[in-house]
Amino acid sequence: DTEVTQTPKHLVMGMTNKKSLKCEQHMGHRAMYWYKQKAKKPPELMFVYSYEKLSINESVPSRFSPECPNSSLLNLHLHALQPEDSALYLCASSTWTPNTGELFFGEGSRLTVL
Amino acid sequence: QQPVQSPQAVILREGEDAVINCSSSKALYSVHWYRQKHGEAPVFLMILLKGGEQKGHEKISASFNEKKQQSSLYLTASQLSYSGTYFCGTEIGTDKLIFGTGTRLQVFP
């Protein structure tokens, strides 16, 4: 199983809503990532979890709150978002060994904030 | 900090070749290459490690010159399936992969 599964595929929310994005992988990868991608732009790194601990936070606003309940799951909790937060949110996982380090991406959750 | 890619866009006919360049202002330890088709997730193509090695993936190969802090992706005899946006990625510390500005490739029959 080389899949990273993200739910939901599409999400529309108001600025006062609270929602969550979910990501799951069963490849035994120790690193999991959240990237944000705006149209026609490269993915931007948001958070990295390594062995279920938050290892990288790229100065992301606190209205985005990541959580890694176990080694297979990664959540992104959303609260009081702004319209400019509308984007494709990509989850990825990796073994990050010296000769591989390949990132496996999920299909993404497309978020629209009204 | 973000690697810069050139050109920004390439239009090809099937069978033509292309080169995409990736340049970093910081020292590179490795370079990743990914392709993202429209509406899909990025897909890993290859990783190049320090040592200037060249790698290949079907008719797509790449080189890495760590002295010049550059990598190039070579697409030979392009196929329609090569269309998409190509991103290089550089490792900024452990676990931290930053993507380049991207190159949009369109292949026409």
Side-chain angles (χ1 to χ4, degrees), chain A residues 9 15 29 37 45 48 72 78 85 91 93 106 114:
Chain A
K9 287 195 177 359
M15 289 190 282
H29 289 170
Q37 187 175 29
L45 185 61
V48 182
S72 300
L78 315 170
D85 296 322
C91 174
S93 69
L114 301 175

Side-chain angles (χ1 to χ4, degrees), chain B residues 56-70:
Chain B
H57 176 80
E58 297 175 347
K59 292 182 183 173
I60 301 174
S61 61
S63 62
F64 176 27
N65 186 325
E66 65 260 30
K67 267 190 176 177
K68 292 186 177 179
Q69 295 167 193
Q70 291 175 346

